[in-house]
Amino acid sequence: MKKGARLFNFDVKFGFGKRKSEPPASATAPPPNSGPAAPRPPASAPPASAPPASGDTAAGPNPATLELATFAGGCFWCMVSPFDELPGIVSIVSGYTGGHTDNPTYEEVGRETTGHAEAVQITFDPHIFPYARLLELFWQQIDPTDAEGQFQDRGRSYRAAIFTHNERQRREAEASRRALGRSGRFKSKIVTEIADAGRFYPAEAEHQDYYKHRFGHYRLYRQHSGRDAFLREHWDTERDREKLRGELSDVQYEVIVRGGMEPPYDNAYWNETRPGLYVDVLSGDLLFDSADRYDAGDGWPAFAQSADSHLVRREADLGGGEVRTALVSRLTGARLGYLLYDGPGEGKLHYRVNSAALRFIPRE
């Protein structure tokens, strides 16, 4: 069944029932956030210690150690942006796999005659971004209890699946699936299949990086697919917040979950002068480097830029009666602070960051 076939007259009117419809002219920008969401927990139990910060990966992925990861999660338009431009990710290709025909087309796959699923194939360096973290991200994009499609898109071409490229990947995928089942996050059985990777056929050029070059249509499609509402329901829960409340100090919870600011001149790193790295306190992801730090004279850590612009998101914050630009750690959803425009340098960027959201690793 084609994308949007279950939306009937509503989608005929607005164009969602046509897989290649043009976006409305007004759909050119994402809606602002009205407030902070809870940080996203890992799909499985968190590691005993946070993963090492990637401060030693500035040289980029090593061609000699690259691997492939292949995931099907329903519409492949929606499976690129969660992984795109992360450290260690070299490329993401949308395509078709798991079927019985050669060189399938988008239309053939949508007619359910090829056995193929829409999927993405990721080339990555596991020494920078481990396969286990890719799996955690994968689970947070799908409904793992649905074997017959994903969200509004029905049929085997929209099934969720992990296609493993070696025995180690299979072991990790199976362990991850078991952990998710034991977590109690979903009431129904986890039915996402794990299969050996076969031949992967890249999709047509118009489907590559769809979320970038057809942004308006992508956002409208995704909004009405039901995916984001489902993910919020299952990955932004009161149970998650209560777990964090038990693991974090009161100040950390207020900052990371509620989006507050800690007191100036009364926080761990406001006057830290040692060289080192500042990582996400929840995950260990490298966010800031002391080389970019400066004294803003306001009592909070200040940076002229982030260590990796793809790991620190900017979101509109409409709270407090004014529009501000909030800083959010991309992989955990932790609130970090705010972006101001009174900093040094040509861009005048001032990353005002709460110490409570960070862990400092001194350089030796």
Side-chain angles (χ1 to χ4, degrees):
M1 185 177 292
K2 291 186 177 182
K3 284 188 180 72
R6 300 180 73 200
L7 294 182
F8 303 109
N9 293 337
F10 178 87
D11 293 328
V12 172
K13 178 178 180 181
F14 288 96
F16 296 108
K18 300 177 182 179
R19 299 184 79 182
K20 299 180 180 178
S21 59
E22 291 297 322
S26 61
T28 58
N33 278 349
S34 58
R40 292 180 297 278
S44 55
S49 60
S54 54
D56 59 349
T57 62
N62 181 353
T65 62
L66 298 182
E67 292 187 12
L68 295 175
T70 304
F71 300 123
C75 170
F76 52 17
W77 296 345
C78 299
M79 291 297 291
V80 176
S81 62
F83 303 97
D84 201 17
E85 298 178 337
L86 289 172
I89 305 300
V90 175
S91 66
I92 305 175
V93 179
S94 298
Y96 318 108
T97 194
H100 52 77
T101 64
D102 294 333
N103 302 309
T105 67
Y106 185 65
E107 289 74 17
E108 289 170 347
V109 172
R111 287 196 292 267
E112 301 291 342
T113 59
T114 69
H116 287 292
E118 291 191 6
V120 293
Q121 189 161 90
I122 303 169
T123 301
F124 72 105
D125 188 335
H127 298 287
I128 298 176
F129 206 89
Y131 186 66
R133 295 203 75 188
L134 290 178
L135 289 170
E136 287 188 356
L137 276 178
F138 167 75
W139 292 122
Q140 294 175 26
Q141 313 311 316
I142 68 166
D143 177 358
T145 68
D146 189 345
E148 300 302 327
Q150 289 289 288
F151 313 108
Q152 74 170 12
D153 297 320
R154 313 312 301 160
R156 291 288 291 165
S157 64
Y158 296 112
R159 66 189 184 272
I162 301 171
F163 297 97
T164 58
H165 291 265
N166 53 53
E167 186 57 32
R168 175 181 51 77
Q169 285 191 1
R170 174 172 282 276
R171 288 196 302 271
E172 291 189 36
E174 290 176 345
S176 178
R177 184 173 62 183
R178 288 194 298 271
L180 182 61
R182 290 194 300 266
S183 72
R185 186 171 295 278
F186 297 93
K187 295 180 180 180
S188 300
K189 182 180 179 181
I190 306 301
V191 297
T192 301
E193 68 179 77
I194 298 172
D196 291 339
R199 187 168 180 180
F200 183 88
Y201 299 92
E204 298 82 346
E206 65 192 276
H207 299 296
Q208 305 300 332
D209 293 323
Y210 195 87
Y211 83 100
K212 291 180 179 178
H213 67 81
R214 294 290 302 278
F215 178 77
H217 183 256
Y218 166 77
R219 288 303 304 170
L220 288 171
Y221 162 74
R222 182 170 180 123
Q223 177 184 352
H224 290 281
S225 72
R227 185 184 294 261
D228 288 340
F230 178 91
L231 299 182
R232 284 193 298 270
E233 178 184 350
H234 290 87
W235 292 98
D236 183 12
T237 68
E238 185 60 32
R239 178 183 174 188
D240 295 325
R241 286 183 283 275
E242 287 303 313
K243 184 174 185 294
L244 284 171
R245 190 182 292 277
E247 296 173 348
L248 302 174
S249 69
D250 290 344
V251 172
Q252 285 178 319
Y253 188 87
E254 176 65 23
V255 166
I256 292 172
V257 178
R258 297 177 62 86
M261 292 295 295
E262 60 195 352
Y265 304 103
D266 186 20
N267 54 81
Y269 305 129
W270 77 269
N271 61 349
E272 178 62 66
T273 59
R274 292 173 295 171
L277 306 175
Y278 295 84
V279 304
D280 185 320
V281 73
L282 297 179
S283 65
D285 292 313
L286 174 60
L287 302 179
F288 299 97
D289 192 310
S290 63
D292 302 311
R293 181 166 179 171
Y294 71 98
D295 183 4
D298 58 9
W300 289 283
F303 302 88
Q305 63 181 6
S306 60
D308 188 327
S309 62
H310 303 304
L311 288 181
V312 178
R313 285 204 326 263
R314 305 176 187 181
E315 295 184 355
D317 182 349
L318 307 183
E322 59 179 323
V323 179
R324 297 182 292 177
T325 302
L327 300 172
V328 180
S329 181
R330 173 179 172 181
L331 290 176
T332 64
R335 285 288 291 265
L336 305 174
Y338 290 94
L339 180 65
L340 309 178
Y341 296 92
D342 58 1
E346 186 176 343
K348 301 295 184 182
L349 298 181
H350 171 186
Y351 289 77
R352 176 185 286 173
V353 184
N354 288 288
S355 297
L358 303 174
R359 177 165 58 88
F360 178 65
I361 304 175
R363 282 198 176 94
E364 297 180 357

